[in-house]
Structures are given as structure tokens and as C-alpha cells.
Amino acid sequence: MTRTRYGGSGRWSGNRGGKAISDDGKTATFDDPAFAKALDLLRGMAVDDKSMYVDANSESVVKLFEAGKIGMTITGPWALYDIAAAKIDYGVVPIPAFNGDHRTVSGPDNWMVFDNGPARVAAAAKFLQFLTQPEQDAVWSVGIGNMPVRNATKNTPEWAAAITTTPAYQQFLDNFANSKDARPQTTVYPAYSGALGEQIAAVLLGQSSVADALAAAKTAGDAALADG
């Protein structure tokens, strides 16, 4: 049996054309019809036909996939090393798309420098410039199973070696072309994202309707943004 890992991510409702947050960053957009369409599809898979494995622990999903108990799962490149170690036959493809739009969400990756005086801030900034150069980025990213943070990284020998050793990396790299949006840049992102995540879980467990869940998510999301 050939199993499949879906490359990339269809987080939020971008695959249906929705936006993760309002343009001014002040209003939750969970009442966008795109969210309802996307979540109702997942609800049907989890509740109606039970074609989706539902578990709050993502690690168990990976183990079940490696054991051949489930046929498909959505993950990122960080899982490739474990899958390779399991010595199974698998493939990686973009997540299924609506109307051929394989849109995915990217980053943003943020580097933080603590202000411990001008000299140390300057030294930290210099180190980050070094760390994010293509040759270092390749070593860093490949070592922990991430995608490169710079396009130039994919042209380095280190990245070429990673693709040779783990060909599935290329599928994730190719999906960069479908990255249309980035996760919201807001200091309250964990709370904002959590507001939606909790309600998605309620729907997939059959504990809430799509409409009620998204209404609750919008209320909590608006509150999180207001606190920020």
C-alpha cells in the first residue's frame, strides 16, 4: 500500500478564498462564508462519513500513519525524518484543492532580539544576518526538517543534498508557489488562533454546529484582538 502525506497547509479557509483576519488587523473574519464552507466539509468527513481520523494528539496520527492504520494525513516537512526512519512506502502531494486552488499559508517566521544594551543588540542583529544567509539557512532548515526561510537557499549544495536524500522535500518546496497569504502578524495570535481551533474541535467531535462554532470563534477572536 502506498500512503500519502499531504504537503503544505490549508489552514484557515484560504483554500476557499477566505482571509485569516481583517485588513486592518482589528476584526475576526470567522464569519466569512468561506470558513463555513471549509469547516462544513471537515464536519461531514469527521461526523457523517467518518472518513477523517479525529484525535487531539497529532503524534498518534503520525504513528498510525507509519503503521498503515490510516491512509492519508496532513503534515509538514518536519515529519519526513520520522517517516523515512519507519521505512514505509509513501508519497507527498499538495492538499486537495477547491477549484484547483492549492493555496497554502506561510510563516511569518519572526526573530526576536532582547534589548540588553546597544552593543548586545548590534551583536545579535549581526548574528541573525549570518544565520539567515543561504548557506547557514540550509544547514539549519535541513537539520530540523523545515523549509528554507529564503528562496536563495534552494540553490545551495546543502539543499541539493537534502533533496537527494529525502526527495519528498521537493514537493513541499514546489508548494511555495501556492503560498498566497501569511499568518496574521499580531501579538495576540495564539489567543486568536486558539479561538478558532477550539471551535473547530467542537465541530469535529460533533459537539457544535458549524454556525454556532464560528459565531463563538468570532466573538472570542474579536475579544482577543481588542485585548491586543
Side-chain angles (χ1 to χ4, degrees), residues 11-14 16-39 181-184 186 189 192-193 195-196 210-211 213-225:
R11 285 168 290 194
W12 304 100
S13 60
R16 277 291 198 182
K19 300 188 66 173
I21 199 170
S22 63
D23 290 337
D24 61 8
K26 296 181 179 179
T27 305
T29 55
F30 303 144
D31 56 345
D32 187 314
F35 279 88
K37 292 178 181 178
L39 186 52
D181 304 287
R183 286 185 294 179
T186 171
Y189 179 79
Y192 184 74
S193 176
L196 178 62
V210 170
L214 291 180
K218 175 169 173 54
T219 297
D222 285 338
L225 293 173

Side-chain angles (χ1 to χ4, degrees), residues 3-5 53 55-86 88 90:
R3 277 159 278 169
T4 302
R5 275 285 195 185
Y53 177 77
D55 194 322
N57 185 350
S58 60
E59 292 183 4
S60 65
V61 175
V62 173
K63 293 184 183 303
L64 288 169
F65 177 77
E66 292 172 353
K69 301 298 183 181
I70 55 177
M72 294 179 289
T73 185
I74 299 175
T75 190
W78 51 85
L80 294 178
Y81 290 133
D82 290 337
I83 295 173
I88 61 175
Y90 75 98

Side-chain angles (χ1 to χ4, degrees), residues 125-139:
K126 184 176 181 180
F127 173 73
L128 288 180
Q129 288 178 339
F130 160 80
L131 187 62
T132 54
Q133 291 301 306
E135 52 271 24
Q136 277 71 244
D137 181 30
V139 174

